[in-house]
Amino acid sequence: RISALPDSLLFHMINFMDTKSAVQTCVLSKRWNDLSKCLTNLTFNSDLPSEGLDRSFKKFESWVLSSRDDSYPLLNLTIESWIDADVQDRVIKYALLHNVQKLKMNINSTTYRPNFKSLPLIFRSQSLTSLELSNKLSPSRLKLPKSLCLPALKSLHLAYVTFTASDKDRVEPFSNCHVLNTLVLRNFSLSAQVLSISNSTLSSLTIFEGQACSIVLSTPNLSSFSITGSVGHQLSSTSDLSFLGEVNINIYMPWSETSLDGKSSIIIKWLGVLANVKILTIGLCAIQTILHVS
């Protein structure tokens, strides 16, 4: 009965699978032989590397890319867990040449050292509307260019990356993303003291941890802001953030009483910058820090 369903429904079903599982549906019947060649979502992941698995995965990746019907648009590419560096670059280059819209790359290995050859292509993409990059466990951080030129990008999630300074004291990576709506930064580092988040279309900003720095907001249309983690960032804004509808502050309690004064004054300055917010949610640790309650 499932095989009797129209192609559109079968395509919809197998696009929820990872690519290996989608290809394996060809054993079900002749009806399924060519369906995986029309995938619009590609998801590549692999077990921990070994010589046999490595060769097998390279052969599989090569078959998928060479057999895929290019008349079908490539909407999403996801690279999870361990994947060989050369395979990663081939897959990403293929996706970008075929105007992929959403790219998610999660490097999750303590031994794998990606070569990042494809990064310049990613940051010049004209088609990407959503980009997620995470380099959590790899010894090498993802080093980003001074400015991200992604004209179609609406959503950007970055974790464990390093921003490059545009001048001696400042990084300003987002000003050339002209339709960016959502930005999430997690555990970032930078080669400067100031992170300038300058973007006239940005409406949602989330910051988790990251290297302590001065964050300057030039985001006149910001409507949602969340900051989580330890208290380290100084915050300022070039506008009154008049469209700010919701703010969430959730910080960790400092261990020592001597550090409370500095942390308290930082949070109070945050509240001054965010004074026009309509709905403020502030965690218990932040309130205790302000009130010096242990």
Side-chain angles (χ1 to χ4, degrees):
R1 291 183 179 181
I2 292 178
S3 295
L5 294 171
D7 284 354
S8 58
L9 287 180
L10 297 182
F11 290 149
H12 186 70
M13 291 165 56
I14 65 174
N15 270 301
F16 283 104
M17 303 176 183
D18 66 81
T19 302
K20 183 177 180 181
S21 298
V23 170
Q24 288 174 334
T25 61
C26 69
V27 303
L28 297 175
S29 70
K30 291 182 179 180
R31 172 77 171 86
W32 294 77
N33 276 352
D34 296 323
L35 291 179
S36 64
K37 298 177 181 179
C38 306
L39 289 169
T40 57
N41 300 337
L42 295 179
T43 300
F44 289 96
N45 53 56
S46 178
D47 299 319
L48 290 176
S50 68
E51 186 175 350
L53 284 174
D54 197 23
R55 287 198 303 268
S56 175
F57 189 77
K58 287 180 180 180
K59 185 181 295 185
F60 169 72
E61 167 267 334
S62 178
W63 182 88
V64 169
L65 299 188
S66 61
S67 300
R68 187 175 176 276
D69 186 344
D70 291 339
S71 66
Y72 288 83
L74 182 54
L75 302 180
N76 303 290
L77 171 63
T78 300
I79 297 175
E80 293 279 4
S81 190
W82 182 88
I83 183 172
D84 177 83
D86 292 333
V87 172
Q88 170 196 289
D89 282 326
R90 282 198 300 271
V91 171
I92 290 176
K93 288 175 183 177
Y94 173 90
L96 294 172
L97 287 172
H98 290 80
N99 298 317
V100 65
Q101 295 180 24
K102 297 182 179 181
L103 171 59
K104 179 180 180 181
M105 185 169 69
N106 181 21
I107 299 170
N108 192 25
S109 170
T110 55
T111 57
Y112 168 51
R113 292 179 179 271
N115 55 35
F116 302 140
K117 290 180 181 177
S118 55
L119 279 186
L121 293 177
I122 293 175
F123 296 122
R124 292 198 299 266
S125 171
Q126 302 294 301
S127 62
L128 280 175
T129 61
S130 175
L131 177 60
E132 295 186 35
L133 295 178
S134 176
N135 191 34
K136 184 176 183 181
L137 298 180
S138 174
S140 306
R141 276 183 175 260
L142 288 167
K143 189 173 182 180
L144 305 185
K146 294 179 181 179
S147 180
L148 310 182
C149 299
L150 297 162
L153 194 71
K154 297 179 180 179
S155 177
L156 178 61
H157 293 231
L158 297 172
Y160 302 91
V161 300
T162 297
F163 295 110
T164 304
S166 52
D167 58 40
K168 185 168 61 175
D169 298 319
R170 176 182 298 261
V171 301
E172 190 174 344
F174 312 112
S175 58
N176 289 320
C177 299
H178 299 303
V179 295
L180 186 64
N181 177 268
T182 301
L183 176 62
V184 178
L185 303 177
R186 182 189 295 270
N187 293 90
F188 60 88
S189 63
L190 60 159
S191 58
Q193 298 299 314
V194 178
L195 171 60
S196 175
I197 302 178
S198 177
N199 191 284
S200 61
T201 60
L202 188 68
S203 66
S204 176
L205 173 61
T206 302
I207 296 175
F208 294 90
E209 288 289 356
Q211 177 184 324
C213 63
S214 295
I215 299 176
V216 179
L217 302 179
S218 298
T219 52
N221 288 299
L222 193 68
S223 62
S224 175
F225 178 65
S226 296
I227 188 164
T228 300
S230 57
V231 182
H233 303 303
Q234 299 288 339
L235 187 66
S236 61
S237 177
T238 61
S239 66
D240 59 5
L241 301 176
S242 57
F243 292 101
L244 196 58
E246 184 175 0
V247 168
N248 292 279
I249 298 175
N250 187 17
I251 60 100
Y252 308 140
M253 173 63 79
W255 286 105
S256 64
E257 190 73 24
T258 56
S259 67
L260 285 174
D261 285 334
K263 306 300 184 185
S264 175
S265 63
I266 290 175
I267 297 173
I268 291 172
K269 288 178 182 178
W270 289 356
L271 296 176
V273 173
L274 306 169
N276 286 328
V277 66
K278 297 172 179 61
I279 300 173
L280 172 64
T281 303
I282 184 167
L284 178 61
C285 286
I287 294 173
Q288 290 176 330
T289 301
I290 294 172
L291 300 177
H292 284 214
V293 177
S294 59

